[in-house]
Amino acid sequence: MPKQPSAPVRHVLRRVCLVVAVIVSGCALLGAVRLVAPATGGTAGEPGGVRAQLTFIRAALDDGAGAGAQQQFPEGYFFLHALYGLSWVELGMREPAGGARAEAVRESRWALGRLDSAEGRAAFSAELVPSYGVFYRGWTNWLRGGVLSLLPEGERESAEIRRFAADSAALGAAFDDSESPYLAAYPGQSWPVDSTVAIASLRLHDTLFPARFTGTVERWIDEVRQRLDPRTGLLPHRVAPGTGDPLEVARGTSQSIIHRFLPDIEPDFAREQYVRFRDRYVVTPLGLGPTTREYPKGMDGPADVDSGPLPLGVSLSATVVTLGAAQVQGDTSLAEGIANYGELLGLPVSTPWTKRYAFGLIPIGDAFVAWSKTARPWVAETPAPPPAHLSSWWRLPLLSLLLIAGAAPWLPVLLRALRRHRLRGRPPAVPGPQDAASAPGEDRFPAAR
């Protein structure tokens, strides 16, 4: 028979098992809390943890995270700074006008300055129309308009106003002169999502200042309607330069951004497109949490640097950005669902000052999360919620798994307690003749005395 461990060793093993059980149960309880606690703040309240995230992102940017992101993604440097600045604009919009917005104005201006530099423009071509392409000009114009929107009319700097007006005019002229509603982001390459951001910036201009681009925007919407992806009825992922004819089926990574901006351009068209997107791309694989597919249901395709890996056809980056699209559309149940699922699976680590996801290994991922959690319309009113897409019971399977995981380590402890209880309840044994004959202290052979 194998040798049994000694009593001291058994005691240590039990202590170790007890510590492991406490840790596992604590993690399961924390996961359950993250799965049900409010995680977005809606379009009015401030999402908890976002300021701490921005503190982490700013420190990462100061340590060179922009250059690191550029090595991972074609627009990594640009996106990391742009999303940092846009998230601060979003937070500033939740503050009363005046001094309370000072930090948001300062940080968003800092980010804009990093984009408006040789390093910020390095990935783009000055030969395009408008210069540096619609991607660069659209996102910077949106951020510049956001900075101006934080300031009362009398406190806006004249240089910022002139730059915003000039860049808006350059974008408007480029759209007016183009046969396609989709301008080039790189030489010979056009993605509808980039033009959507640029057109939203023109709407923002006409909200802050006297309207100049109403006709440009209306023509853009009409031309877009004529060039939808025939398979999905949505804006295509990639189009032919010059004509705008669809070249690639609508994909989750671009759709999720499109639906963040489209409500500020044309709310009715945006709602129609959003519901179509949600029905074809938002899924709950394995019956667990809500996620976004990169390709429409029934279709698979290759992953790329934008989508990242596609387990079960799902794109993590598209899922994160869909959170923001859902908020802008008033789809609170889906936004909260994606946010809670992310709090469970995103491995957030918090300190008294910072918060980061995935242990802070990918700061641009944190930037997308912060930008998505703070989403709200800038031009239009938040619309009424669309019909619910996500079941109110979606958390139940995950909570059940967490319950099982939290209870499982205590099973050995419970079994030992039951065994001891049964032994205590057993009646004492009555000695038989043999036992009595051999009882200690008695003479078994009295006649021999």
Side-chain angles (χ1 to χ4, degrees):
M1 290 181 63
K3 185 177 180 181
Q4 296 295 321
S6 63
V9 172
R10 288 198 302 273
H11 179 73
V12 170
L13 289 175
R14 286 172 184 164
R15 290 282 183 177
V16 170
C17 290
L18 181 62
V19 170
V20 170
V22 170
I23 292 173
V24 171
S25 296
C27 290
L29 178 60
L30 178 61
V33 171
R34 287 175 172 171
L35 200 58
V36 299
T40 65
T43 57
E46 182 176 314
V50 167
R51 286 181 185 268
Q53 270 190 278
L54 294 177
T55 299
F56 160 69
I57 295 168
R58 177 59 195 264
L61 285 170
D62 290 341
D63 288 340
Q70 188 62 36
Q71 295 175 357
Q72 297 173 318
F73 306 97
E75 299 95 8
Y77 176 95
F78 185 96
F79 259 138
L80 187 51
H81 286 89
L83 297 179
Y84 175 78
L86 290 171
S87 298
W88 269 114
V89 172
E90 298 277 8
L91 290 185
M93 287 180 174
R94 289 165 164 80
E95 300 283 357
R101 296 182 174 183
E103 184 178 17
V105 171
R106 182 183 69 247
E107 292 301 308
S108 54
R109 272 179 173 160
W110 175 85
L112 184 59
R114 299 295 291 268
L115 299 180
D116 195 15
S117 67
E119 196 169 10
R121 293 187 291 266
F124 308 99
S125 172
E127 306 304 317
L128 294 172
V129 179
S131 58
Y132 301 104
V134 71
F135 176 97
Y136 177 84
R137 296 294 284 271
W139 282 93
T140 54
N141 208 45
W142 180 254
L143 176 55
R144 199 180 310 277
V147 173
L148 290 170
S149 69
L150 293 178
L151 297 165
E153 200 169 327
E155 296 180 18
R156 295 169 183 164
E157 294 185 2
S158 57
E160 283 185 332
I161 295 174
R162 288 195 300 270
R163 179 65 183 276
F164 184 52
D167 285 0
S168 297
L171 282 167
F175 279 112
D176 289 341
D177 293 341
S178 174
E179 294 182 7
S180 167
Y182 306 126
L183 304 180
Y186 296 99
Q189 301 181 74
S190 296
W191 289 268
V193 60
D194 303 325
S195 291
T196 305
V197 178
I199 288 292
S201 77
L202 299 185
R203 277 290 200 212
L204 180 59
H205 174 279
D206 286 0
T207 301
L208 297 174
F209 302 102
R212 295 176 56 187
F213 303 106
T214 303
T216 300
V217 175
E218 289 177 350
R219 282 192 301 274
W220 185 84
I221 295 167
D222 290 341
E223 292 175 0
V224 164
R225 287 182 182 273
Q226 298 170 27
R227 293 172 174 82
L228 297 175
D229 166 33
R231 175 157 185 158
T232 62
L234 298 166
L235 276 69
H237 181 67
R238 186 168 57 91
V239 298
T243 66
D245 295 330
L247 293 180
E248 194 171 351
V249 68
R251 290 175 51 179
T253 43
S254 57
Q255 283 295 308
S256 54
I257 297 177
I258 286 170
H259 296 296
R260 175 70 182 265
F261 290 91
L262 207 53
D264 278 327
I265 299 172
E266 213 292 305
D268 292 337
F269 180 54
R271 173 54 58 88
E272 169 196 320
Q273 288 279 295
Y274 173 75
V275 172
R276 188 180 291 269
F277 158 71
R278 194 183 62 173
D279 290 345
R280 288 161 175 76
Y281 290 81
V282 177
V283 295
T284 51
L286 305 179
L288 301 178
T291 55
T292 302
R293 289 181 55 84
E294 179 64 6
Y295 297 91
K297 295 175 184 177
M299 178 181 178
D300 291 315
D304 60 21
V305 69
D306 292 324
S307 70
L310 299 177
L312 302 176
V314 166
S315 167
L316 176 61
S317 60
T319 301
V320 170
V321 181
T322 298
L323 190 168
Q327 281 210 153
V328 169
Q329 280 286 348
D331 195 352
T332 306
S333 63
L334 179 58
E336 280 288 346
I338 294 175
N340 284 138
Y341 199 34
E343 290 297 308
L344 177 65
L345 300 185
L347 303 176
V349 177
S350 297
T351 71
W353 306 277
T354 65
K355 181 178 181 180
R356 65 201 74 185
Y357 290 82
F359 304 107
L361 297 176
I362 311 175
I364 195 169
D366 281 272
F368 271 108
V369 171
W371 181 59
S372 296
K373 282 192 172 186
T374 55
R376 56 185 289 161
W378 287 11
V379 175
E381 296 292 329
T382 302
H389 177 79
L390 187 64
S391 167
S392 57
W393 297 97
W394 74 267
R395 294 177 177 85
L396 186 59
L398 286 169
L399 290 171
S400 300
L401 290 174
L402 290 170
L403 176 62
I404 293 170
W410 296 98
L411 188 58
V413 177
L414 179 62
L415 291 175
R416 284 197 301 271
L418 289 173
R419 191 179 303 116
R420 287 196 297 269
H421 179 73
R422 284 199 300 268
L423 290 175
R424 288 196 197 100
R426 185 179 298 171
V430 179
Q434 243 184 335
D435 298 324
S438 60
E442 291 191 12
D443 193 345
R444 295 176 60 192
F445 303 100
R449 289 183 177 174

